[in-house]
Amino acid sequence: MTTYDTASARGPLAPTPWISARYARGVPRLRLFCLPHAGGGVGVFTPWRAHLPAGVELAPVELPGRGSRIDEPMPATMDALVDALLDGLRGELDLPYAFFGHSFGALLGYELTLRIEREAAAGGAVRTPSALLVSGSRAPHVPLGRESVASGDDAGLIDWLSGSGGLPPELLEFPDFLRDLLRAVRGDMAFAEAYLAAAPEPVGCPLAAFAGAEDTVSTVAQVRPWDRYTTAAHALRVLPGGHYFPQSHARETVEAVCAELAAMAAV
């Protein structure tokens, strides 16, 4: 449900399965689409609400195969997923907007931005993003730098998730939930691990990259080359925490994100 503090705010949009747990204080001036890490659902952005400034609408993206869409299959390819996501978000592009994507979500945000800008350049009547915000992700042309995790067995995936901070130990007590989580993580990670650009293809909007100082999954060195992916303004922010710093350090992340939005998108 959308939460607004003022009676003069815009009313809720027509429902779409791609957006859940929408939140804003005051009249939204910019919609921030939030794309989660591999296996993540809209709940990973719930801690952001307490730190969100007025004027920015939080629009978390719910991908198939998790949360309220647990019974929906993921598209078979990364391209098909991005195409379906873009179709699902078209009705949401009525406000100035930006994409924030973490880890796997950063690659989705980048691909969405490329598609939208290409469509606009070809004469399509589509609003282009005010900014692209990528977080905890190697730049698209940077090799993975490790063995594939998605292609391994469940035990190996559990160990990797536990070691990177992506699997709280208490979830091991809930085998049904864990089975669904591993299925979503494995599918998303298969897309992310296979994603490799031959060379940077820059977007036309400003781009800000965020890295966790202690992140061993996507190191600062792997995140830094995102500066080659825009022809507009670029910024790199190193924040405290490991790979899941947007959750473990929600206040610092939201403050950094909103500072970049203010500088790049005039929020």
Side-chain angles (χ1 to χ4, degrees):
M1 178 180 294
T2 307
T3 301
Y4 294 117
D5 282 351
T6 63
S8 61
R10 303 166 63 93
L13 297 171
T16 170
W18 293 95
I19 300 294
S20 183
R22 191 192 309 271
Y23 178 84
R25 291 192 301 108
V27 180
R29 300 188 301 275
L30 181 136
R31 180 165 292 132
L32 181 61
F33 294 106
C34 295
L35 299 146
H37 58 260
V42 298
V44 301
F45 296 105
T46 299
W48 285 29
R49 292 183 173 196
H51 314 292
L52 199 71
V56 176
E57 180 185 278
L58 194 69
V61 170
E62 187 84 288
L63 298 174
R66 69 217 71 197
S68 61
R69 308 182 70 185
I70 189 67
D71 295 325
E72 296 183 42
M74 278 284 275
T77 66
M78 179 81 157
D79 283 343
L81 173 59
V82 176
D83 288 342
L85 179 52
L86 178 53
D87 286 344
L89 295 184
R90 285 189 184 278
E92 299 274 339
L93 308 184
D94 59 320
L95 281 180
Y97 67 93
F99 291 122
F100 172 90
H102 182 68
S103 197
F104 171 59
L107 302 177
L108 288 179
Y110 170 63
E111 283 291 333
L112 280 168
T113 301
L114 284 177
R115 279 165 169 72
I116 291 169
E117 291 187 346
R118 288 171 188 155
E119 184 175 324
V126 60
R127 186 194 295 268
T128 57
S130 297
L132 171 61
L133 311 172
V134 295
S135 167
S137 171
R138 61 186 171 90
H141 70 285
V142 173
L144 185 61
R146 58 169 171 79
E147 295 295 322
S148 169
V149 175
S151 60
D153 59 18
D154 282 356
L157 182 54
I158 288 171
D159 286 346
W160 187 86
L161 288 170
S162 299
S164 63
L167 185 66
E170 57 269 22
L171 293 186
L172 298 175
E173 304 296 324
F174 301 93
D176 290 342
F177 178 84
L178 183 61
R179 182 189 64 248
D180 291 337
L181 175 63
L182 292 179
R183 183 179 66 244
V185 170
R186 189 182 300 279
D188 292 355
M189 287 193 68
F191 288 159
E193 290 178 341
Y195 189 96
L196 185 64
E201 181 178 357
V203 299
C205 66
L207 186 154
F210 303 85
E214 292 84 42
D215 190 347
T216 58
V217 176
S218 299
T219 65
V220 175
Q222 291 175 307
V223 175
R224 184 173 288 112
W226 276 103
D227 62 0
R228 299 173 61 185
Y229 283 80
T230 180
T231 58
H234 172 267
L236 172 65
R237 293 260 190 147
V238 179
L239 300 175
H243 188 59
Y244 298 94
F245 66 86
Q247 294 169 260
S248 64
H249 294 75
R251 179 182 59 80
E252 293 91 338
T253 304
V254 173
E255 289 177 353
V257 164
C258 290
E260 292 304 330
L261 287 174
M264 294 178 166
V267 177

